[in-house]
Amino acid sequence: MTIVLDENYFAVASDDLLGYCGETNSRVIEFAGLDNVQAQMYSLVISYDDGECFETRIQDGVVALTAGLMRKAGDVDVQVYACDMQGDVYTVVKKSNILRLVIKPSLDADSKPVPALEDSLRILGKIEQCAAALTDLGETLVEQQQYLDTSQTQITQAQQRLMSQFTACLSQMNEAVQTAQECALSIQQSASQIAVNKSSTGLEKRNLLKIGTDGFDNGEVTMTVGQGGELTLNGTTGSTYTSIPLTSASSQDCIKHIPNGEYIICTNGFSKLAVCVIGYDLDDGTLVQRSLAWCEGSDVSFTVDDEFPYNYVELWLDVDTTFDNDLILPMIRYKGVTDSSWEPFTPDLQTQIDDLRKQIESLPVMRPRVLSCANIVSRVTTKAQEVTQ
């Protein structure tokens, strides 16, 4: 793994995998850009989710990961310190941003592998096969009624054989259903972590601005919204600025449209208007506003944090300005993405995984077939008792 620090000491990791639990001296972290901050010592601090925190010195731009550092599977927070030394006492000169990395479990008795999506689909296929087998078994039971008059011994043997097969099929189907549910849960948890990692490193190319309005018309200017979130303006503004909410109906409807992080907003060179990101603090029922970004034709960076966690986006039109089918392509992207070309809004990975989970949960349950087969077995048993009497 390589961690690169720029002139602002912003760190980016080449991978989100720190290693596997229990490894010792089998992996190293190489650092580039440490000397962007002149210091006498550099160290790496790792914080675990159980509250433990370890610090190890960076020697010659490298840190070897020992078993002590790879002590526990799970998510860890990693930060680079630049320090000055005075005897045995050191003072932190500069800290990097916090990187969210992961230590994966090793293959021992206490860890279970995360199943793949293909495994979940394969298990669902087994469920359908078991259901079909139960249907075939019911048809076989009906046919066996034709031979109930032959002998009591043959009837008893047939019942025992068929009931054993029926019980085995039911057991297999129950196990398959439970395994499928566990697989779906594991997929959801794994995908959630992947989404968090990609969001934190800013490597995912995606338009984060979801237009929340169907259009705008104040008698002077009209705005229509395309399927991908592109905006078309017509009309002439008056002597005052015209504001159009994009992500919600008004400032009172502001929610966490964009999670905490660093972003870039742009209008793709269009300068007759401005796109404004406004943050709010709704604590104690009061509405405290702060402008997070004001973009007029060029890229503007901004940060969403816990101080003003709620936000919404507005379009501001300049005064005495005429629009004639002007196409506006506003976009918000991760700060780490350098490609500024516009693309339609797409849902994040977690939303897509939630949709997949809903599809799996909506698959039909084969319980009616199982109950039908059970009724057939009951009728066969009753008929056998009648013949015996």
Side-chain angles (χ1 to χ4, degrees), residues 51-76:
E52 291 291 333
C53 187
F54 287 80
E55 180 178 0
T56 182
R57 183 171 297 186
I58 302 174
Q59 298 287 353
D60 298 326
V62 174
V63 166
L65 298 176
T66 63
L69 296 177
M70 311 299 287
R71 54 183 287 270
K72 183 178 183 294
D75 298 330
V76 295

Short mmCIF file of all heavy atoms in Angstrom, two decimals, residues 51-76:
data_model
loop_
_atom_site.label_atom_id
_atom_site.label_comp_id
_atom_site.label_asym_id
_atom_site.label_seq_id
_atom_site.Cartn_x
_atom_site.Cartn_y
_atom_site.Cartn_z
N GLY A 51 -11.58 1.34 20.85
CA GLY A 51 -11.01 2.42 21.64
C GLY A 51 -9.49 2.39 21.74
O GLY A 51 -8.88 3.37 22.17
N GLU A 52 -8.84 1.28 21.37
CA GLU A 52 -7.38 1.19 21.44
C GLU A 52 -6.74 2.04 20.33
O GLU A 52 -7.29 2.17 19.23
CB GLU A 52 -6.94 -0.27 21.31
CG GLU A 52 -7.31 -1.14 22.51
CD GLU A 52 -6.52 -0.78 23.77
OE1 GLU A 52 -5.38 -0.27 23.64
OE2 GLU A 52 -7.06 -0.98 24.86
N CYS A 53 -5.58 2.60 20.62
CA CYS A 53 -4.88 3.44 19.65
C CYS A 53 -3.39 3.14 19.72
O CYS A 53 -2.81 3.08 20.81
CB CYS A 53 -5.16 4.91 19.94
SG CYS A 53 -4.51 6.04 18.70
N PHE A 54 -2.74 2.89 18.57
CA PHE A 54 -1.32 2.58 18.50
C PHE A 54 -0.62 3.60 17.60
O PHE A 54 -1.17 4.05 16.59
CB PHE A 54 -1.10 1.17 17.93
CG PHE A 54 -1.45 0.08 18.91
CD1 PHE A 54 -2.77 -0.30 19.08
CD2 PHE A 54 -0.47 -0.56 19.65
CE1 PHE A 54 -3.11 -1.31 19.97
CE2 PHE A 54 -0.79 -1.57 20.54
CZ PHE A 54 -2.13 -1.93 20.71
N GLU A 55 0.62 3.93 17.97
CA GLU A 55 1.44 4.84 17.17
C GLU A 55 2.77 4.16 16.86
O GLU A 55 3.41 3.58 17.74
CB GLU A 55 1.68 6.16 17.91
CG GLU A 55 2.54 7.14 17.10
CD GLU A 55 2.72 8.46 17.84
OE1 GLU A 55 2.18 8.58 18.95
OE2 GLU A 55 3.40 9.35 17.30
N THR A 56 3.17 4.21 15.60
CA THR A 56 4.44 3.61 15.19
C THR A 56 5.20 4.61 14.33
O THR A 56 4.60 5.36 13.55
CB THR A 56 4.18 2.29 14.41
OG1 THR A 56 5.45 1.71 14.06
CG2 THR A 56 3.38 2.54 13.15
N ARG A 57 6.53 4.62 14.50
CA ARG A 57 7.34 5.61 13.80
C ARG A 57 7.56 5.19 12.35
O ARG A 57 7.75 4.01 12.05
CB ARG A 57 8.69 5.76 14.52
CG ARG A 57 9.59 6.84 13.90
CD ARG A 57 10.82 7.13 14.75
NE ARG A 57 10.47 7.67 16.06
CZ ARG A 57 11.35 8.11 16.94
NH1 ARG A 57 12.65 8.08 16.66
NH2 ARG A 57 10.94 8.58 18.11
N ILE A 58 7.55 6.16 11.44
CA ILE A 58 7.82 5.92 10.02
C ILE A 58 9.33 6.06 9.80
O ILE A 58 9.90 7.13 10.02
CB ILE A 58 7.06 6.93 9.14
CG1 ILE A 58 5.55 6.84 9.42
CG2 ILE A 58 7.35 6.69 7.67
CD1 ILE A 58 4.74 7.91 8.70
N GLN A 59 9.95 4.95 9.41
CA GLN A 59 11.40 4.93 9.20
C GLN A 59 11.70 4.87 7.71
O GLN A 59 11.26 3.94 7.01
CB GLN A 59 12.01 3.70 9.90
CG GLN A 59 11.82 3.67 11.41
CD GLN A 59 12.70 4.70 12.13
OE1 GLN A 59 13.53 5.34 11.52
NE2 GLN A 59 12.50 4.85 13.43
N ASP A 60 12.44 5.87 7.21
CA ASP A 60 12.84 5.91 5.80
C ASP A 60 11.62 5.83 4.89
O ASP A 60 11.66 5.18 3.82
CB ASP A 60 13.83 4.78 5.48
CG ASP A 60 15.11 4.91 6.28
OD1 ASP A 60 15.54 6.07 6.56
OD2 ASP A 60 15.67 3.87 6.64
N GLY A 61 10.52 6.44 5.30
CA GLY A 61 9.32 6.48 4.48
C GLY A 61 8.54 5.19 4.43
O GLY A 61 7.70 5.00 3.54
N VAL A 62 8.79 4.25 5.37
CA VAL A 62 8.14 2.94 5.33
C VAL A 62 7.71 2.55 6.74
O VAL A 62 8.41 2.83 7.72
CB VAL A 62 9.09 1.86 4.75
CG1 VAL A 62 8.45 0.48 4.86
CG2 VAL A 62 9.42 2.17 3.30
N VAL A 63 6.57 1.87 6.84
CA VAL A 63 6.11 1.25 8.10
C VAL A 63 5.79 -0.21 7.82
O VAL A 63 5.04 -0.53 6.89
CB VAL A 63 4.85 1.95 8.65
CG1 VAL A 63 4.20 1.11 9.74
CG2 VAL A 63 5.21 3.31 9.23
N ALA A 64 6.39 -1.12 8.59
CA ALA A 64 6.08 -2.55 8.48
C ALA A 64 4.95 -2.88 9.44
O ALA A 64 4.99 -2.50 10.61
CB ALA A 64 7.32 -3.38 8.80
N LEU A 65 3.94 -3.58 8.94
CA LEU A 65 2.76 -3.89 9.75
C LEU A 65 3.01 -5.17 10.55
O LEU A 65 3.09 -6.27 10.00
CB LEU A 65 1.54 -4.06 8.84
CG LEU A 65 1.18 -2.81 8.05
CD1 LEU A 65 0.02 -3.08 7.10
CD2 LEU A 65 0.83 -1.65 8.99
N THR A 66 3.14 -5.02 11.87
CA THR A 66 3.40 -6.16 12.75
C THR A 66 2.08 -6.77 13.22
O THR A 66 1.00 -6.22 13.00
CB THR A 66 4.21 -5.70 13.97
OG1 THR A 66 3.41 -4.76 14.71
CG2 THR A 66 5.50 -5.03 13.54
N ALA A 67 2.19 -7.91 13.88
CA ALA A 67 1.00 -8.57 14.43
C ALA A 67 0.32 -7.70 15.47
O ALA A 67 -0.90 -7.75 15.64
CB ALA A 67 1.38 -9.92 15.03
N GLY A 68 1.11 -6.90 16.19
CA GLY A 68 0.52 -6.00 17.18
C GLY A 68 -0.38 -4.97 16.52
O GLY A 68 -1.40 -4.58 17.08
N LEU A 69 0.00 -4.48 15.33
CA LEU A 69 -0.84 -3.52 14.62
C LEU A 69 -2.03 -4.18 13.96
O LEU A 69 -3.10 -3.59 13.86
CB LEU A 69 0.00 -2.79 13.56
CG LEU A 69 1.15 -1.92 14.09
CD1 LEU A 69 1.93 -1.32 12.94
CD2 LEU A 69 0.63 -0.82 15.01
N MET A 70 -1.86 -5.41 13.50
CA MET A 70 -2.96 -6.15 12.85
C MET A 70 -3.69 -7.00 13.89
O MET A 70 -3.98 -8.18 13.68
CB MET A 70 -2.40 -7.02 11.72
CG MET A 70 -1.47 -6.29 10.78
SD MET A 70 -2.27 -4.93 9.95
CE MET A 70 -3.30 -5.83 8.83
N ARG A 71 -3.99 -6.41 15.03
CA ARG A 71 -4.49 -7.13 16.20
C ARG A 71 -5.96 -7.52 16.11
O ARG A 71 -6.39 -8.48 16.75
CB ARG A 71 -4.32 -6.26 17.45
CG ARG A 71 -4.94 -4.87 17.31
CD ARG A 71 -4.70 -3.99 18.54
NE ARG A 71 -5.49 -4.41 19.66
CZ ARG A 71 -6.71 -3.95 19.91
NH1 ARG A 71 -7.29 -3.09 19.07
NH2 ARG A 71 -7.37 -4.35 20.97
N LYS A 72 -6.74 -6.80 15.32
CA LYS A 72 -8.19 -6.98 15.39
C LYS A 72 -8.82 -6.69 14.04
O LYS A 72 -8.48 -5.69 13.40
CB LYS A 72 -8.78 -6.05 16.45
CG LYS A 72 -10.28 -6.20 16.68
CD LYS A 72 -10.72 -5.25 17.79
CE LYS A 72 -12.21 -5.44 18.10
NZ LYS A 72 -13.03 -5.03 16.94
N ALA A 73 -9.71 -7.57 13.57
CA ALA A 73 -10.39 -7.35 12.30
C ALA A 73 -11.46 -6.28 12.45
O ALA A 73 -12.11 -6.17 13.48
CB ALA A 73 -11.02 -8.65 11.82
N GLY A 74 -11.60 -5.47 11.43
CA GLY A 74 -12.62 -4.43 11.45
C GLY A 74 -12.09 -3.15 10.83
O GLY A 74 -11.01 -3.09 10.25
N ASP A 75 -12.86 -2.08 10.95
CA ASP A 75 -12.49 -0.78 10.41
C ASP A 75 -11.53 -0.07 11.35
O ASP A 75 -11.69 -0.14 12.57
CB ASP A 75 -13.73 0.09 10.18
CG ASP A 75 -14.67 -0.53 9.17
OD1 ASP A 75 -14.19 -1.24 8.28
OD2 ASP A 75 -15.87 -0.32 9.31
N VAL A 76 -10.55 0.63 10.79
CA VAL A 76 -9.61 1.40 11.59
C VAL A 76 -9.46 2.78 10.97
O VAL A 76 -9.65 2.97 9.77
CB VAL A 76 -8.23 0.71 11.67
CG1 VAL A 76 -8.31 -0.61 12.41
CG2 VAL A 76 -7.65 0.51 10.29
#
